[in-house]
Amino acid sequence: MTGQQRARGLSGAVAPDNDLETAPEALTPEQEAATKNQVFLAAERLFAVHGFQKVSVRDITAEANVNLASVNYHFGSKDALLFDIFRRRTAELNRMRARLLHEANDAHGGRPPVRAILEALIGPPVRWLDPNGDRLISVQFLIRARSEGTEAMRDVLRTDVSHLRRFADALRAARPDLPEVEVYWRLHFVLGMVHNNRFAEFDRLNTLSEGLTREDEIEPLIRRMVDFAEAGFSR
Amino acid sequence: MTGQQRARGLSGAVAPDNDLETAPEALTPEQEAATKNQVFLAAERLFAVHGFQKVSVRDITAEANVNLASVNYHFGSKDALLFDIFRRRTAELNRMRARLLHEANDAHGGRPPVRAILEALIGPPVRWLDPNGDRLISVQFLIRARSEGTEAMRDVLRTDVSHLRRFADALRAARPDLPEVEVYWRLHFVLGMVHNNRFAEFDRLNTLSEGLTREDEIEPLIRRMVDFAEAGFSR
DNA sequence: TCTCACGGCAAACAGTCGTTCGATTTCACG
DNA sequence: CGTGAAATCGAACGACTGTTTGCCGTGAGA
């Protein structure tokens, strides 16, 4: 990111003809309460599209139309803002996955088949890819966090596997005939499939297939991924 | 990356007791010819481990024990150095894959089965993961380039799919019964599996499996990946 | 009406970045 | 030995980074 313009407060947007009035341009309640949220959303969007290191605090505050100091005032630091976004989105995704896994447990007497487990694992992050939803940015952010995140984020990713363990346990229960280590490897492969759903990879796939692939058709994509992964588990 | 020490020439490493001699410490032939190569290798190693934006030119030249200006003198710019590494390693990988695909063609009368194609696609980059080899850094660099690369690198990745097209064509020939679009999607899934083989992901997998998974056993890993992918293509 | 904590603001801070400069050294070649 | 091109050197440049500072306007509660 190169050309950035000075972040200006909302009062800077008044029409230039009422200079004498100099009305303080009172902020509406939702506006003044929304500054922190505007920063949050602008940062998530910019980070998701351009990457973490390439987006400066000035880029964020300019995009959010707030003052430069807002990031440090509301979040403490740029890294803390990053971690805040990461933590919230990760929690949302984990909650969604856990609920689907729980439902699969209920529907299958505590022992869901492989396919139901994979649907709970793959479905939520892929459903977030829907361009008609408002989650596309969030999932791109999370995918990026995996390779470009701060030290704190990488620590969480590396050490906090409690959520994944529930899926690993469920898969082991569904395939007790399989050596344990094989289950872990196949889970790793499935996660690789999911994490590969970046904008750039879709672009490349579209170039290769000459427009045949349509990543905006979400449910068919989920079905394809679950089909592929289930087949991978079938032996 | 924080603490960097001033890059010093090789003459700075002379023993301190022969100050009077002040011999110019003549560089051996391989040393003087090696400056560009030292920069290349140091940069590849640092980029592979820490990421592109986090490594400064000063970090590189300090690691390579050369002068700060060497990067710009020999490569033009930091981005050009990055692109040079990317281009060379990509060409090597593509050559290796193409050779295996060619051999598979010869061995199967021009129409290799899915498994042979997948082995040519998966084998080379995973074989580079061997910690006993000298390619581990290169493959980690290439994986990182995929999400953190410069604009020029992303352009290449997005538009130059000529190499992948040979694999897509081979897979379509091996599975003429399959709708074309399904082949492209499954190829995308396989590539996702391959690109997920990062240090951080292995760390996470090891935490999850409590040390059961051994990513340094290369051939078993290749077999697992090909098994999984072949099964995914089996329907 | 006064008070005060809160949030927004412009400006500056100290540090790091990639890159460039001019001088010096090196070394093959005549 | 002398010459010139290539390579290396220390030092600096200007731009950009995240963060901090001091000031100001606001509005709810005493």
Side-chain angles (χ1 to χ4, degrees), chain A residues 157-169 172 179-189 191, chain B residues 200-217 224:
Chain A
L157 286 173
R158 185 169 48 242
T159 60
D160 181 16
V161 291
S162 57
H163 165 259
L164 275 186
R165 184 152 285 136
R166 279 179 285 186
F167 281 90
D169 291 344
R172 287 202 289 143
E180 202 177 335
V181 64
E182 301 296 333
V183 172
Y184 287 119
W185 275 117
R186 295 182 188 185
L187 177 56
H188 171 74
F189 298 153
L191 292 174
Chain B
E201 298 296 330
F202 284 145
D203 283 351
R204 171 167 156 130
L205 181 61
N206 284 328
T207 305
L208 180 63
S209 75
E210 288 165 337
L212 233 55
T213 49
R214 293 289 303 276
E215 72 269 15
D216 56 342
E217 297 174 347
R224 282 190 182 94

Side-chain angles (χ1 to χ4, degrees), chain A residues 1 4 24 55-58 68-69 72 77-78:
Chain A
M1 307 220 90
Q4 84 265 10
V55 175
S56 68
V57 175
R58 283 167 180 82
L68 169 62
N72 289 276
S77 69
K78 181 190 178 184

Side-chain angles (χ1 to χ4, degrees), chain A residues 82-94:
Chain A
L82 266 172
F83 192 76
D84 213 57
I85 303 173
F86 168 73
R87 202 159 37 85
R88 193 193 300 186
R89 298 314 188 201
T90 298
E92 290 169 353
L93 178 60
N94 286 348

Side-chain angles (χ1 to χ4, degrees), chain A residues 27-137:
Chain A
L27 306 177
T28 70
E30 63 264 17
Q31 272 177 331
E32 64 170 305
T35 292
K36 183 172 182 177
N37 219 250
Q38 288 176 33
V39 171
F40 185 99
L41 294 176
E44 183 184 33
R45 179 167 54 249
L46 290 178
F47 286 147
V49 174
H50 299 104
F52 295 161
Q53 329 281 346
K54 291 183 185 174
V55 175
S56 68
V57 175
R58 283 167 180 82
D59 292 326
I60 298 169
T61 52
E63 172 90 356
N65 265 305
V66 299
N67 185 269
L68 169 62
S70 300
V71 166
N72 289 276
Y73 180 80
H74 285 288
F75 294 93
S77 69
K78 181 190 178 184
D79 277 13
L81 165 61
L82 266 172
F83 192 76
D84 213 57
I85 303 173
F86 168 73
R87 202 159 37 85
R88 193 193 300 186
R89 298 314 188 201
T90 298
E92 290 169 353
L93 178 60
N94 286 348
R95 210 178 308 128
M96 190 86 71
R97 278 174 160 170
R99 202 183 63 205
L100 287 192
L101 182 60
H102 187 75
E103 288 176 8
N105 261 301
D106 289 349
H108 296 89
R111 238 273 171 142
V114 168
R115 186 174 186 92
I117 302 168
L118 292 175
E119 276 172 350
L121 187 69
I122 296 173
V126 178
R127 224 159 260 128
W128 282 13
L129 289 172
D130 191 343
N132 299 124
D134 58 345
R135 292 301 206 166
L136 182 54
I137 290 302

Side-chain angles (χ1 to χ4, degrees), chain B residues 28-192:
Chain B
T28 71
E30 63 263 20
Q31 271 176 332
E32 65 169 307
T35 292
K36 184 171 182 178
N37 220 251
Q38 288 176 32
V39 170
F40 185 98
L41 294 176
E44 182 184 34
R45 179 167 52 249
L46 289 179
F47 286 147
V49 174
H50 298 104
F52 294 161
Q53 329 280 346
K54 291 184 185 174
V55 174
S56 68
V57 175
R58 285 166 178 83
D59 291 327
I60 298 169
T61 52
E63 172 91 356
N65 264 304
V66 299
N67 186 269
L68 169 62
S70 301
V71 166
N72 289 276
Y73 180 80
H74 284 288
F75 294 93
S77 69
K78 180 190 179 184
D79 277 13
L81 165 60
L82 267 173
F83 192 76
D84 213 58
I85 304 173
F86 168 73
R87 201 158 38 85
R88 192 192 301 187
R89 298 312 188 202
T90 299
E92 289 170 353
L93 178 60
N94 285 348
R95 210 177 308 128
M96 191 86 71
R97 278 174 160 169
R99 203 183 61 205
L100 288 192
L101 183 60
H102 187 75
E103 288 175 7
N105 260 300
D106 289 349
H108 297 89
R111 195 172 263 228
V114 169
R115 186 173 185 92
I117 302 168
L118 292 175
E119 276 172 350
L121 187 69
I122 296 173
V126 178
R127 223 160 261 129
W128 283 14
L129 290 172
D130 191 342
N132 299 123
D134 58 345
R135 292 302 206 166
L136 183 54
I137 290 302
S138 296
V139 68
Q140 296 293 330
F141 176 96
L142 282 180
I143 291 176
R144 238 182 228 281
R146 192 157 286 282
S147 48
E148 304 176 48
T150 63
E151 188 59 37
M153 293 162 63
R154 255 176 287 121
D155 272 353
V156 170
L157 285 174
R158 185 170 48 242
T159 60
D160 181 16
V161 292
S162 57
H163 165 259
L164 274 187
R165 183 153 284 133
R166 279 180 284 186
F167 281 90
D169 290 345
L171 287 170
R172 287 203 288 142
R175 289 296 304 274
D177 57 310
L178 221 54
E180 202 176 335
V181 66
E182 302 296 334
V183 173
Y184 288 119
W185 274 118
R186 296 181 188 186
L187 178 56
H188 171 73
F189 299 152
V190 174
L191 292 174

